[in-house]
Amino acid sequence: MLTIKIGKAKDNDFVVDAPSVSRHHALLKRDENGSLFLEDLSSTNGTFVNGIQILKKRIACTDTVLLGKSPLNISEALNSNNDYIQEFAALKEVYEKYTAQKVRIQSATTFRTRLFQAAPFALPGIVGFVISFSGSGGMIFRAICLAIAVCAPAAGIYMGAQQAAKAPQQLQELADQFKIDYVCPKCGIFLGEIPWESLANKKNCSVQSCKAKWANRT
């Protein structure tokens, strides 16, 4: 359980020095399931969530919170305790999308390359069938069929190579964006291709000067 004391007094975990804020104004709590709760501590000017005065309420970081007339940034309050659990949780989707797109690019490239390279080799058989079916076709017709039989495999190999050549660029672009998105929410260091679950098990950023909290310790 994470508890952050909020108010004007210097002994609070998160100090808000504003005229409408009491010395000990509110408590921000995160339970074991990651849910956030805000509790008013009998403040003089009240605590408001989305325009409604509350005594205790479950909240989200996107809610509009006022301590009296002073706005409270929930994310800043959490981060004052080096708590980046919510921001780190969002990286799970980043990692899952990256791995899914990577597999999709690799699979699509393999399939198309094989299709381009294999399909033309079936043409000689098709041409032979057409010739035998049409009987003694004219010389021009036979010449065209022969040209198709000779050139189609080469064209297929070329198109397959062209398709395969696109994959490295697509993968590089994907990796470049991943390096921007998959970073510690506090210090911004790239987290590599380490699965999100493995990082979550570490609980904290490994950078000594950061040590951002990524997950609750169980």
Side-chain angles (χ1 to χ4, degrees):
M1 173 78 73
L2 169 71
T3 301
I4 299 175
K5 297 182 291 182
I6 303 170
K8 186 185 298 184
K10 300 300 182 184
D11 62 345
N12 286 291
D13 300 309
F14 188 69
V15 177
V16 182
D17 190 6
S20 65
V21 178
S22 299
R23 286 179 54 80
H24 300 97
H25 197 112
L27 281 179
L28 178 62
K29 298 180 179 180
R30 188 200 297 274
D31 66 15
E32 292 80 2
N33 298 318
S35 300
L36 292 173
F37 295 88
L38 186 64
E39 180 180 354
D40 183 79
L41 298 178
S42 301
S43 63
T44 302
N45 296 307
T47 300
F48 300 82
V49 177
N50 298 326
I52 300 174
Q53 186 169 3
I54 60 100
L55 294 178
K56 184 176 182 179
K57 181 176 174 60
R58 181 174 177 173
I59 63 170
C61 287
T62 53
D63 288 334
T64 299
V65 178
L66 292 176
L67 304 180
K69 296 182 179 181
S70 179
L72 172 67
N73 188 310
I74 298 299
S75 294
E76 287 184 3
L78 291 170
N79 295 348
S80 68
N81 195 44
N82 212 28
D83 186 314
Y84 288 81
I85 293 176
Q86 189 158 349
E87 293 89 339
F88 178 76
L91 295 180
K92 183 177 183 180
E93 184 178 359
V94 173
Y95 181 80
E96 290 175 347
K97 282 186 176 181
Y98 167 72
T99 53
Q101 290 174 354
K102 184 177 179 181
V103 170
R104 185 162 55 250
I105 291 172
Q106 292 172 332
S107 299
T109 300
T110 300
F111 172 76
R112 290 171 185 168
T113 299
R114 288 178 178 175
L115 180 63
F116 281 133
Q117 291 178 342
F121 286 95
L123 285 177
I126 297 173
V127 170
F129 173 78
V130 171
I131 292 174
S132 62
F133 182 79
S134 61
S136 58
M139 291 298 296
I140 296 177
F141 177 73
R142 289 178 176 274
I144 292 173
C145 291
L146 180 60
I148 293 175
V150 172
C151 297
I157 293 172
Y158 173 77
M159 288 188 292
Q162 289 289 97
Q163 183 63 38
K166 296 178 182 179
Q169 181 180 352
Q170 292 175 330
L171 290 172
Q172 186 60 55
E173 291 174 354
L174 180 64
D176 289 344
Q177 187 61 47
F178 183 61
K179 290 177 182 178
I180 296 173
D181 298 335
Y182 199 56
V183 298
C184 172
K186 180 182 179 182
C187 68
I189 189 172
F190 175 51
L191 302 175
E193 295 198 14
I194 302 173
W196 183 88
E197 289 81 2
S198 297
L199 293 172
N201 289 334
K202 294 181 178 180
K203 310 300 183 185
N204 295 83
C205 179
S206 59
V207 177
Q208 194 63 35
S209 59
C210 177
K211 291 296 182 182
K213 184 188 294 183
W214 290 343
N216 286 316
R217 295 189 177 278
T218 56

